[in-house]
Amino acid sequence: GRYTGDPAWERVSRNLMDYLFRNGFQDTDPASPSRGFFKWYDFPEDRPDQIFTDDNAWVCLVLLYLYRKTGIESYRERGLMTAEALLDTQNPETGLRPNVISGAQLREMGRKRVSEQLEASLNPHFESIAHAAFIQAYLVTGERAYLDAALKGTLYMLRNRDKMRFMYSRTSGLSRFVLPLGFLARYDESGTVA
């Protein structure tokens, strides 16, 4: 809409987001362990079941970026809800996440145990998008925890390049991997990212 000067595109964008919000694609129940996460399709249950890292990270990244460009408060609220859920389920040692978490795992284990006990991924298809989402959360909030998680996970992957796994192809995975690197390079005191 801004590129073309046609406000109809901005209305379409808002309508798409409003549709997702109104139709329960995001769990917003404060008592739910999956609070903040999105369903990755129109799953018939109330809560998300298969919680893929990349799908939720893309939604988070887009919502927070759109908030920065439009100032629409619901984008900030919803995006930060997802950023918090991603951060809470991030492995504290590696800064990485499982590729997917099931709703049952979250209900049974809770966020803390999920973050500590489920195997963290070394697949940039998933991880690098989460790190880019954390950068957006940092830009919106100034909270260092988001930046630190992105930096820790990226550095862990760089130090373990030989153990990286790729979903579709090495090229596809590495193109996602570079997404957060330019921003993180200025915060990496070790010089590893640069």
Side-chain angles (χ1 to χ4, degrees), residues 104-189:
Q105 287 172 314
L106 265 177
R107 288 186 297 276
E108 179 184 315
M109 300 172 71
R111 289 183 179 194
K112 184 170 177 31
R113 281 185 52 216
V114 160
S115 74
E116 295 171 347
Q117 295 179 11
L118 294 185
E119 182 183 359
S121 165
L122 273 160
N123 189 330
H125 177 92
F126 298 96
E127 300 311 306
S128 297
I129 306 310
H131 299 155
F134 288 148
I135 290 169
Q136 289 297 319
Y138 171 71
L139 292 171
V140 168
T141 66
E143 290 182 33
R144 186 68 195 221
Y146 293 116
L147 178 61
D148 290 345
L151 190 55
K152 180 184 278 187
T154 297
L155 289 171
Y156 189 89
M157 290 182 78
L158 281 168
R159 286 192 289 273
N160 292 280
R161 282 188 296 256
D162 57 326
K163 295 177 187 169
M164 273 191 197
R165 287 176 263 157
F166 299 98
M167 185 165 180
Y168 299 118
S169 71
R170 187 173 172 79
T171 303
S172 171
L174 292 176
S175 66
R176 286 182 179 223
F177 187 67
V178 299
L179 184 61
L181 294 183
F183 185 86
L184 293 175
R186 70 178 126 166
Y187 295 96
D188 173 25
E189 294 176 9

Coordinates of all heavy atoms in Angstrom, one line a residue, residues 104-189:
A104 N 0.6 -31.1 23.4 CA 0.6 -32.1 24.5 C 1.9 -31.9 25.3 O 1.9 -32.0 26.5 CB 0.4 -33.5 24.0
Q105 N 3.0 -31.8 24.6 CA 4.3 -31.6 25.3 C 4.3 -30.4 26.2 O 4.7 -30.4 27.3 CB 5.5 -31.5 24.3 CG 5.8 -32.8 23.7 CD 6.8 -32.6 22.5 OE1 6.7 -31.7 21.7 NE2 7.8 -33.5 22.5
L106 N 3.8 -29.3 25.7 CA 3.7 -28.0 26.4 C 2.8 -28.2 27.7 O 3.1 -27.7 28.7 CB 3.2 -26.9 25.6 CG 4.2 -26.0 24.9 CD1 3.6 -25.0 24.0 CD2 5.1 -25.4 25.9
R107 N 1.7 -28.8 27.5 CA 0.7 -29.0 28.6 C 1.3 -29.9 29.7 O 1.2 -29.7 30.9 CB -0.6 -29.6 28.1 CG -1.4 -28.5 27.4 CD -2.8 -29.0 27.0 NE -2.8 -30.2 26.1 CZ -2.7 -30.1 24.8 NH1 -2.6 -28.9 24.2 NH2 -2.7 -31.2 24.1
E108 N 2.0 -31.0 29.2 CA 2.6 -31.9 30.2 C 3.8 -31.4 30.9 O 4.0 -31.6 32.1 CB 2.9 -33.2 29.4 CG 3.5 -34.3 30.3 CD 4.0 -35.5 29.5 OE1 3.2 -35.9 28.6 OE2 5.1 -36.0 29.7
M109 N 4.7 -30.8 30.1 CA 6.0 -30.4 30.6 C 6.1 -28.9 31.1 O 6.9 -28.6 31.9 CB 7.1 -30.6 29.5 CG 7.2 -32.0 29.1 SD 8.3 -32.2 27.6 CE 9.9 -31.9 28.4
G110 N 5.3 -28.1 30.5 CA 5.5 -26.6 30.7 C 6.6 -26.0 29.9 O 7.4 -26.8 29.4
R111 N 6.6 -24.7 29.8 CA 7.6 -24.1 29.0 C 9.0 -24.3 29.4 O 9.9 -24.5 28.6 CB 7.3 -22.6 28.9 CG 6.1 -22.2 28.1 CD 5.9 -20.7 28.0 NE 4.7 -20.4 27.2 CZ 4.4 -19.2 26.8 NH1 5.2 -18.2 27.0 NH2 3.3 -19.0 26.0
K112 N 9.3 -24.2 30.7 CA 10.6 -24.3 31.2 C 11.2 -25.7 30.9 O 12.4 -25.8 30.4 CB 10.7 -24.0 32.7 CG 12.1 -24.0 33.3 CD 12.1 -23.5 34.7 CE 13.4 -23.6 35.5 NZ 14.6 -23.4 34.7
R113 N 10.5 -26.7 31.2 CA 11.0 -28.1 30.9 C 11.2 -28.3 29.4 O 12.1 -29.0 29.0 CB 10.1 -29.2 31.6 CG 10.4 -29.3 33.1 CD 9.6 -30.4 33.7 NE 9.7 -31.7 33.0 CZ 8.7 -32.6 32.9 NH1 7.6 -32.3 33.4 NH2 9.0 -33.7 32.3
V114 N 10.2 -27.8 28.6 CA 10.4 -27.9 27.2 C 11.7 -27.3 26.7 O 12.4 -27.9 25.9 CB 9.2 -27.3 26.5 CG1 9.5 -27.0 25.0 CG2 8.0 -28.2 26.5
S115 N 12.0 -26.1 27.3 CA 13.2 -25.4 26.8 C 14.5 -26.1 27.3 O 15.5 -26.1 26.6 CB 13.2 -24.0 27.4 OG 13.5 -24.0 28.8
E116 N 14.4 -26.8 28.4 CA 15.6 -27.5 28.9 C 15.8 -28.9 28.4 O 16.9 -29.4 28.3 CB 15.6 -27.5 30.4 CG 15.7 -26.1 31.0 CD 15.4 -26.1 32.5 OE1 14.9 -27.1 33.1 OE2 15.7 -25.1 33.1
Q117 N 14.6 -29.6 28.1 CA 14.7 -31.1 27.9 C 14.5 -31.5 26.4 O 15.0 -32.6 26.1 CB 13.7 -31.8 28.8 CG 14.1 -31.6 30.2 CD 13.1 -32.3 31.2 OE1 12.2 -33.1 30.7 NE2 13.2 -32.0 32.4
L118 N 13.8 -30.7 25.6 CA 13.6 -31.2 24.2 C 14.9 -30.8 23.4 O 15.5 -29.8 23.7 CB 12.4 -30.5 23.6 CG 11.1 -30.9 24.2 CD1 9.9 -30.2 23.4 CD2 10.9 -32.4 24.2
E119 N 15.2 -31.7 22.5 CA 16.4 -31.5 21.7 C 16.3 -30.2 20.8 O 15.4 -30.0 20.1 CB 16.6 -32.7 20.7 CG 17.8 -32.6 19.9 CD 18.0 -33.8 18.9 OE1 17.1 -34.7 18.9 OE2 19.0 -33.7 18.2
A120 N 17.4 -29.4 21.0 CA 17.5 -28.2 20.2 C 17.9 -28.5 18.8 O 18.7 -29.4 18.5 CB 18.4 -27.2 20.9
S121 N 17.4 -27.7 17.9 CA 17.7 -27.9 16.4 C 18.9 -27.2 16.0 O 19.2 -26.1 16.5 CB 16.5 -27.4 15.7 OG 16.8 -27.2 14.3
L122 N 19.6 -27.8 15.1 CA 20.7 -27.1 14.4 C 20.4 -26.9 13.0 O 21.2 -27.0 12.1 CB 22.0 -27.8 14.6 CG 22.8 -27.5 15.9 CD1 23.8 -28.6 16.2 CD2 23.5 -26.2 15.7
N123 N 19.1 -26.5 12.7 CA 18.7 -26.3 11.4 C 18.3 -24.9 11.1 O 17.3 -24.4 11.7 CB 17.4 -27.2 11.1 CG 17.0 -27.3 9.7 OD1 17.2 -26.3 9.0 ND2 16.4 -28.4 9.3
P124 N 19.1 -24.2 10.3 CA 18.8 -22.7 10.1 C 17.4 -22.5 9.5 O 16.9 -21.3 9.6 CB 19.9 -22.3 9.2 CG 20.5 -23.5 8.6 CD 20.2 -24.6 9.5
H125 N 16.8 -23.5 8.9 CA 15.4 -23.3 8.3 C 14.5 -22.8 9.5 O 13.7 -22.0 9.2 CB 14.9 -24.6 7.7 CG 13.5 -24.5 7.2 ND1 13.2 -24.2 5.9 CD2 12.3 -24.7 7.9 CE1 11.9 -24.2 5.8 NE2 11.4 -24.5 6.9
F126 N 14.7 -23.3 10.6 CA 13.9 -23.0 11.8 C 14.5 -21.9 12.7 O 13.9 -20.9 13.0 CB 13.7 -24.2 12.7 CG 12.9 -25.3 11.9 CD1 13.6 -26.4 11.3 CD2 11.5 -25.3 11.9 CE1 12.9 -27.4 10.6 CE2 10.8 -26.3 11.2 CZ 11.5 -27.3 10.6
E127 N 15.8 -22.1 13.0 CA 16.5 -21.3 14.0 C 16.7 -19.9 13.6 O 16.5 -18.9 14.4 CB 17.8 -21.9 14.4 CG 17.6 -23.3 15.0 CD 16.6 -23.4 16.1 OE1 16.6 -22.6 17.0 OE2 15.7 -24.3 15.9
S128 N 17.1 -19.7 12.4 CA 17.5 -18.3 12.0 C 16.3 -17.4 11.9 O 16.4 -16.2 12.1 CB 18.2 -18.3 10.6 OG 19.5 -19.1 10.8
I129 N 15.1 -18.0 11.6 CA 13.9 -17.1 11.5 C 13.5 -16.7 13.0 O 13.1 -15.6 13.2 CB 12.8 -17.9 10.8 CG1 13.2 -18.4 9.5 CG2 11.5 -17.0 10.8 CD1 13.8 -17.3 8.6
A130 N 13.7 -17.6 13.9 CA 13.5 -17.3 15.3 C 14.4 -16.2 15.8 O 14.0 -15.2 16.4 CB 13.6 -18.5 16.2
H131 N 15.7 -16.2 15.3 CA 16.7 -15.2 15.7 C 16.3 -13.9 15.1 O 16.4 -12.8 15.7 CB 18.1 -15.6 15.3 CG 18.5 -16.9 16.0 ND1 19.4 -17.7 15.5 CD2 18.1 -17.4 17.2 CE1 19.6 -18.8 16.3 NE2 18.8 -18.6 17.3
A132 N 15.8 -13.9 13.8 CA 15.4 -12.6 13.2 C 14.1 -12.1 13.9 O 14.0 -10.9 14.0 CB 15.1 -12.9 11.7
A133 N 13.2 -12.9 14.4 CA 12.1 -12.5 15.1 C 12.5 -11.8 16.4 O 11.9 -10.8 16.9 CB 11.1 -13.6 15.4
F134 N 13.5 -12.4 17.1 CA 14.0 -11.9 18.3 C 14.6 -10.5 18.1 O 14.5 -9.6 19.0 CB 15.0 -12.8 19.0 CG 14.4 -14.0 19.6 CD1 15.2 -15.2 19.6 CD2 13.2 -14.0 20.2 CE1 14.6 -16.3 20.2 CE2 12.6 -15.2 20.7 CZ 13.4 -16.3 20.8
I135 N 15.2 -10.3 17.0 CA 15.8 -9.0 16.6 C 14.6 -7.9 16.6 O 14.7 -6.8 17.1 CB 16.6 -9.0 15.3 CG1 17.9 -9.8 15.5 CG2 16.9 -7.6 14.8 CD1 18.6 -10.1 14.3
Q136 N 13.5 -8.3 15.9 CA 12.4 -7.4 15.8 C 11.8 -7.1 17.2 O 11.5 -6.0 17.6 CB 11.3 -8.0 15.0 CG 11.6 -8.0 13.5 CD 11.8 -6.6 12.9 OE1 11.0 -5.7 13.2 NE2 12.8 -6.5 12.1
A137 N 11.8 -8.2 18.1 CA 11.3 -8.0 19.5 C 12.2 -7.0 20.2 O 11.8 -6.1 21.0 CB 11.2 -9.3 20.2
Y138 N 13.5 -7.2 20.0 CA 14.5 -6.3 20.6 C 14.3 -4.8 20.1 O 14.3 -3.9 20.9 CB 15.9 -6.7 20.3 CG 17.0 -5.8 20.8 CD1 17.2 -5.5 22.1 CD2 17.7 -5.0 19.8 CE1 18.2 -4.6 22.5 CE2 18.6 -4.1 20.2 CZ 18.9 -3.9 21.5 OH 19.9 -3.0 21.9
L139 N 14.1 -4.6 18.8 CA 13.9 -3.3 18.3 C 12.6 -2.6 18.8 O 12.6 -1.4 19.0 CB 13.8 -3.4 16.8 CG 15.2 -3.7 16.1 CD1 15.0 -4.0 14.6 CD2 16.2 -2.7 16.3
V140 N 11.6 -3.4 19.1 CA 10.3 -2.9 19.6 C 10.4 -2.6 21.1 O 9.9 -1.6 21.6 CB 9.2 -3.9 19.3 CG1 7.9 -3.5 20.1 CG2 8.9 -3.9 17.8
T141 N 11.1 -3.5 21.9 CA 11.1 -3.3 23.3 C 12.3 -2.8 23.9 O 12.3 -2.3 25.0 CB 10.8 -4.7 24.0 OG1 11.9 -5.6 23.7 CG2 9.5 -5.3 23.5
G142 N 13.5 -3.0 23.2 CA 14.8 -2.7 23.8 C 15.2 -3.7 24.9 O 16.2 -3.5 25.5
E143 N 14.5 -4.8 25.0 CA 14.8 -5.8 26.0 C 16.0 -6.7 25.5 O 15.9 -7.4 24.5 CB 13.6 -6.7 26.3 CG 12.5 -5.9 27.1 CD 11.4 -6.8 27.5 OE1 11.6 -8.0 27.7 OE2 10.2 -6.3 27.5
R144 N 17.0 -6.6 26.2 CA 18.3 -7.3 25.8 C 18.1 -8.8 25.8 O 18.9 -9.5 25.0 CB 19.4 -6.9 26.8 CG 20.8 -7.4 26.5 CD 21.3 -6.7 25.2 NE 22.4 -7.5 24.8 CZ 23.5 -6.9 24.3 NH1 23.6 -5.6 24.2 NH2 24.5 -7.7 23.9
A145 N 17.2 -9.4 26.5 CA 17.0 -10.9 26.5 C 16.8 -11.4 25.1 O 17.2 -12.5 24.7 CB 15.9 -11.3 27.4
Y146 N 16.0 -10.6 24.3 CA 15.7 -11.0 22.9 C 17.0 -11.0 22.1 O 17.3 -12.0 21.3 CB 14.7 -10.2 22.3 CG 13.3 -10.3 22.9 CD1 12.7 -9.3 23.6 CD2 12.6 -11.5 22.8 CE1 11.5 -9.4 24.1 CE2 11.4 -11.7 23.4 CZ 10.8 -10.6 24.1 OH 9.5 -10.8 24.6
L147 N 17.8 -10.0 22.2 CA 19.0 -9.8 21.4 C 20.0 -10.9 21.8 O 20.6 -11.6 21.0 CB 19.6 -8.4 21.6 CG 20.9 -8.2 20.9 CD1 20.8 -8.3 19.4 CD2 21.4 -6.8 21.3
D148 N 20.1 -11.1 23.2 CA 21.0 -12.1 23.7 C 20.7 -13.5 23.2 O 21.6 -14.3 22.9 CB 21.1 -12.1 25.2 CG 21.7 -10.8 25.7 OD1 22.4 -10.1 25.0 OD2 21.5 -10.6 26.9
A149 N 19.4 -13.9 23.1 CA 19.0 -15.2 22.6 C 19.3 -15.4 21.2 O 19.8 -16.4 20.8 CB 17.5 -15.4 22.9
A150 N 19.1 -14.3 20.4 CA 19.4 -14.4 19.0 C 20.9 -14.6 18.8 O 21.4 -15.4 18.0 CB 18.9 -13.2 18.2
L151 N 21.7 -13.8 19.5 CA 23.2 -13.9 19.4 C 23.7 -15.2 19.9 O 24.5 -15.8 19.2 CB 23.8 -12.7 20.2 CG 25.3 -12.5 20.0 CD1 25.6 -12.2 18.5 CD2 25.7 -11.2 20.8
K152 N 23.2 -15.7 21.0 CA 23.7 -17.0 21.6 C 23.4 -18.1 20.6 O 24.3 -18.9 20.3 CB 23.0 -17.3 22.9 CG 23.4 -18.6 23.5 CD 22.7 -18.9 24.8 CE 23.3 -18.1 25.9 NZ 22.7 -18.5 27.2
G153 N 22.2 -18.1 20.0 CA 21.8 -19.2 19.1 C 22.6 -19.2 17.8 O 23.1 -20.2 17.3
T154 N 22.8 -18.0 17.3 CA 23.6 -17.8 16.1 C 25.0 -18.2 16.3 O 25.6 -18.9 15.4 CB 23.5 -16.4 15.5 OG1 22.1 -16.1 15.2 CG2 24.3 -16.1 14.3
L155 N 25.6 -17.8 17.4 CA 27.0 -18.1 17.7 C 27.2 -19.6 17.9 O 28.1 -20.2 17.4 CB 27.5 -17.4 18.9 CG 27.8 -15.9 18.7 CD1 28.1 -15.2 20.0 CD2 28.9 -15.7 17.7
Y156 N 26.2 -20.2 18.5 CA 26.2 -21.7 18.7 C 26.2 -22.4 17.4 O 27.0 -23.4 17.1 CB 25.0 -22.2 19.6 CG 25.1 -23.6 20.0 CD1 25.8 -23.9 21.2 CD2 24.6 -24.6 19.2 CE1 25.9 -25.3 21.5 CE2 24.7 -25.9 19.6 CZ 25.4 -26.3 20.8 OH 25.5 -27.6 21.1
M157 N 25.4 -21.9 16.5 CA 25.3 -22.6 15.1 C 26.6 -22.3 14.4 O 27.1 -23.2 13.7 CB 24.1 -22.0 14.4 CG 22.8 -22.5 14.9 SD 21.4 -22.0 14.0 CE 21.5 -23.1 12.6
L158 N 27.2 -21.2 14.5 CA 28.5 -20.9 13.8 C 29.6 -21.8 14.3 O 30.4 -22.3 13.5 CB 28.8 -19.4 13.9 CG 28.1 -18.4 13.0 CD1 28.4 -17.0 13.4 CD2 28.6 -18.7 11.6
R159 N 29.6 -22.0 15.6 CA 30.6 -22.8 16.2 C 30.4 -24.3 15.9 O 31.3 -25.1 16.1 CB 30.7 -22.6 17.7 CG 31.3 -21.3 18.1 CD 31.6 -21.2 19.6 NE 30.5 -21.1 20.4 CZ 29.9 -20.0 20.8 NH1 30.4 -18.8 20.3 NH2 28.8 -20.0 21.5
N160 N 29.2 -24.7 15.5 CA 28.8 -26.1 15.2 C 28.3 -26.2 13.8 O 27.4 -27.0 13.5 CB 27.8 -26.5 16.2 CG 28.3 -26.6 17.6 OD1 29.0 -27.6 17.9 ND2 28.0 -25.6 18.4
R161 N 29.0 -25.5 12.8 CA 28.6 -25.6 11.4 C 28.6 -27.0 10.9 O 27.7 -27.3 10.0 CB 29.5 -24.7 10.6 CG 29.2 -23.2 10.7 CD 30.0 -22.4 9.6 NE 31.4 -22.5 9.9 CZ 32.1 -21.5 10.4 NH1 31.6 -20.4 10.7 NH2 33.4 -21.7 10.6
D162 N 29.5 -27.8 11.3 CA 29.6 -29.2 10.8 C 28.4 -30.0 11.2 O 28.2 -31.1 10.7 CB 30.9 -29.8 11.2 CG 31.1 -29.8 12.7 OD1 30.7 -28.9 13.4 OD2 31.7 -30.8 13.2
K163 N 27.7 -29.6 12.2 CA 26.5 -30.4 12.7 C 25.2 -29.8 12.3 O 24.1 -30.3 12.6 CB 26.5 -30.4 14.3 CG 27.7 -31.1 14.9 CD 27.7 -31.0 16.4 CE 29.0 -31.6 16.9 NZ 29.1 -31.3 18.3
M164 N 25.2 -28.7 11.5 CA 24.0 -28.1 11.0 C 23.3 -29.2 10.1 O 23.9 -30.0 9.4 CB 24.3 -26.9 10.1 CG 24.4 -25.6 10.8 SD 24.4 -24.3 9.6 CE 25.1 -23.0 10.6
R165 N 21.9 -29.1 10.2 CA 21.1 -29.9 9.4 C 20.3 -29.0 8.5 O 19.9 -27.9 8.9 CB 20.2 -30.8 10.3 CG 21.0 -31.9 10.9 CD 20.1 -32.7 11.9 NE 20.4 -32.1 13.2 CZ 19.5 -32.1 14.2 NH1 18.4 -32.7 14.1 NH2 19.9 -31.6 15.4
F166 N 20.0 -29.5 7.3 CA 19.2 -28.7 6.3 C 17.9 -29.4 5.9 O 17.9 -30.6 5.7 CB 20.1 -28.4 5.1 CG 21.3 -27.7 5.5 CD1 22.5 -28.3 5.7 CD2 21.3 -26.3 5.7 CE1 23.7 -27.6 6.1 CE2 22.4 -25.6 6.1 CZ 23.6 -26.3 6.3
M167 N 16.9 -28.7 5.8 CA 15.6 -29.2 5.5 C 15.4 -29.5 4.1 O 15.1 -30.7 3.7 CB 14.5 -28.3 6.0 CG 13.1 -28.8 5.9 SD 12.0 -27.8 6.9 CE 10.5 -28.7 6.6
Y168 N 15.5 -28.5 3.2 CA 15.3 -28.7 1.8 C 16.7 -28.8 1.1 O 16.9 -29.8 0.3 CB 14.5 -27.6 1.2 CG 13.1 -27.5 1.8 CD1 12.8 -26.3 2.5 CD2 12.2 -28.5 1.7 CE1 11.5 -26.3 3.1 CE2 11.0 -28.4 2.3 CZ 10.6 -27.3 3.0 OH 9.4 -27.2 3.6
S169 N 17.5 -27.8 1.3 CA 18.8 -27.9 0.7 C 19.7 -27.0 1.5 O 19.3 -26.2 2.3 CB 18.7 -27.3 -0.8 OG 18.5 -25.9 -0.7
R170 N 21.0 -27.2 1.3 CA 22.0 -26.4 2.0 C 21.8 -24.9 1.6 O 21.9 -24.0 2.5 CB 23.4 -26.9 1.6 CG 24.5 -26.3 2.3 CD 25.8 -27.0 2.0 NE 27.0 -26.4 2.5 CZ 27.3 -26.4 3.8 NH1 26.7 -27.2 4.6 NH2 28.4 -25.8 4.2
T171 N 21.6 -24.7 0.3 CA 21.4 -23.3 -0.1 C 20.2 -22.6 0.5 O 20.3 -21.5 1.0 CB 21.2 -23.3 -1.7 OG1 22.4 -23.9 -2.3 CG2 21.1 -21.8 -2.2
S172 N 19.1 -23.3 0.6 CA 17.9 -22.8 1.2 C 18.2 -22.5 2.7 O 17.8 -21.4 3.2 CB 16.8 -23.8 1.1 OG 15.7 -23.4 1.8
G173 N 18.8 -23.4 3.4 CA 19.1 -23.2 4.8 C 20.1 -22.1 5.1 O 19.8 -21.3 6.0
L174 N 21.1 -22.0 4.3 CA 22.1 -21.0 4.5 C 21.6 -19.6 4.1 O 22.0 -18.6 4.7 CB 23.4 -21.3 3.7 CG 24.2 -22.5 4.3 CD1 25.4 -22.8 3.4 CD2 24.6 -22.3 5.7
S175 N 20.6 -19.5 3.2 CA 20.0 -18.2 2.8 C 19.2 -17.7 4.0 O 19.1 -16.5 4.3 CB 19.2 -18.3 1.6 OG 18.1 -19.1 1.7
R176 N 18.6 -18.6 4.8 CA 17.9 -18.2 6.0 C 18.9 -17.8 7.1 O 18.6 -16.9 7.8 CB 16.9 -19.3 6.5 CG 15.7 -19.5 5.6 CD 14.8 -20.5 6.2 NE 13.6 -20.7 5.4 CZ 12.4 -20.8 5.9 NH1 12.2 -20.9 7.2 NH2 11.4 -20.9 5.1
F177 N 20.0 -18.6 7.1 CA 21.0 -18.3 8.2 C 21.5 -16.9 8.1 O 21.8 -16.3 9.1 CB 22.1 -19.4 8.0 CG 23.1 -19.3 9.1 CD1 22.7 -19.7 10.4 CD2 24.4 -18.9 8.9 CE1 23.6 -19.7 11.4 CE2 25.3 -18.9 9.9 CZ 24.9 -19.3 11.2
V178 N 21.7 -16.4 6.9 CA 22.3 -15.0 6.8 C 21.3 -13.9 7.2 O 21.7 -12.8 7.4 CB 22.9 -14.7 5.4 CG1 23.9 -15.7 5.0 CG2 21.8 -14.7 4.3
L179 N 20.0 -14.2 7.3 CA 19.0 -13.2 7.6 C 19.4 -12.3 8.8 O 19.4 -11.1 8.7 CB 17.6 -13.8 7.7 CG 16.5 -12.8 7.9 CD1 16.3 -11.8 6.7 CD2 15.2 -13.6 8.0
P180 N 19.7 -12.9 10.0 CA 19.9 -12.1 11.1 C 21.4 -11.6 11.3 O 21.7 -10.8 12.1 CB 19.5 -13.0 12.3 CG 19.8 -14.4 11.8 CD 19.5 -14.3 10.3
L181 N 22.3 -12.2 10.4 CA 23.7 -12.0 10.7 C 24.2 -10.5 10.6 O 25.0 -10.0 11.4 CB 24.6 -12.8 9.7 CG 24.5 -14.3 9.8 CD1 25.4 -15.0 8.9 CD2 24.8 -14.7 11.3
G182 N 23.6 -9.7 9.6 CA 24.1 -8.4 9.5 C 23.8 -7.5 10.7 O 24.6 -6.7 11.1
F183 N 22.6 -7.8 11.3 CA 22.3 -7.0 12.5 C 23.1 -7.5 13.7 O 23.6 -6.7 14.5 CB 20.8 -7.2 12.8 CG 20.3 -6.3 14.0 CD1 19.9 -5.0 13.8 CD2 20.3 -6.9 15.3 CE1 19.5 -4.3 14.9 CE2 19.9 -6.1 16.3 CZ 19.5 -4.8 16.2
L184 N 23.2 -8.8 13.8 CA 23.9 -9.4 15.0 C 25.4 -9.1 15.0 O 26.0 -9.0 16.1 CB 23.7 -10.9 15.1 CG 22.3 -11.3 15.4 CD1 22.1 -12.8 15.3 CD2 21.8 -10.8 16.7
A185 N 26.0 -8.9 13.8 CA 27.5 -8.6 13.8 C 27.9 -7.5 14.6 O 29.0 -7.5 15.2 CB 27.9 -8.4 12.3
R186 N 27.1 -6.4 14.7 CA 27.5 -5.3 15.5 C 27.4 -5.5 17.0 O 28.0 -4.7 17.8 CB 26.7 -4.0 15.1 CG 25.3 -4.0 15.5 CD 24.7 -2.7 15.1 NE 23.5 -3.1 14.3 CZ 22.6 -2.2 14.0 NH1 22.7 -1.0 14.3 NH2 21.5 -2.6 13.3
Y187 N 26.8 -6.6 17.4 CA 26.7 -6.9 18.9 C 27.5 -8.0 19.3 O 27.6 -8.4 20.5 CB 25.2 -7.2 19.2 CG 24.3 -6.0 19.1 CD1 23.6 -5.8 17.9 CD2 24.3 -5.0 20.0 CE1 22.8 -4.7 17.7 CE2 23.5 -3.9 19.9 CZ 22.7 -3.7 18.7 OH 21.9 -2.6 18.5
D188 N 28.2 -8.7 18.4 CA 29.1 -9.8 18.7 C 30.5 -9.4 19.0 O 31.3 -9.1 18.1 CB 29.1 -10.8 17.5 CG 30.0 -11.9 17.7 OD1 30.4 -12.3 18.8 OD2 30.5 -12.5 16.6
E189 N 30.8 -9.3 20.3 CA 32.1 -8.9 20.7 C 33.2 -9.8 20.3 O 34.4 -9.5 20.2 CB 32.1 -8.6 22.2 CG 31.2 -7.5 22.6 CD 31.1 -7.3 24.1 OE1 31.9 -7.9 24.9 OE2 30.3 -6.5 24.5

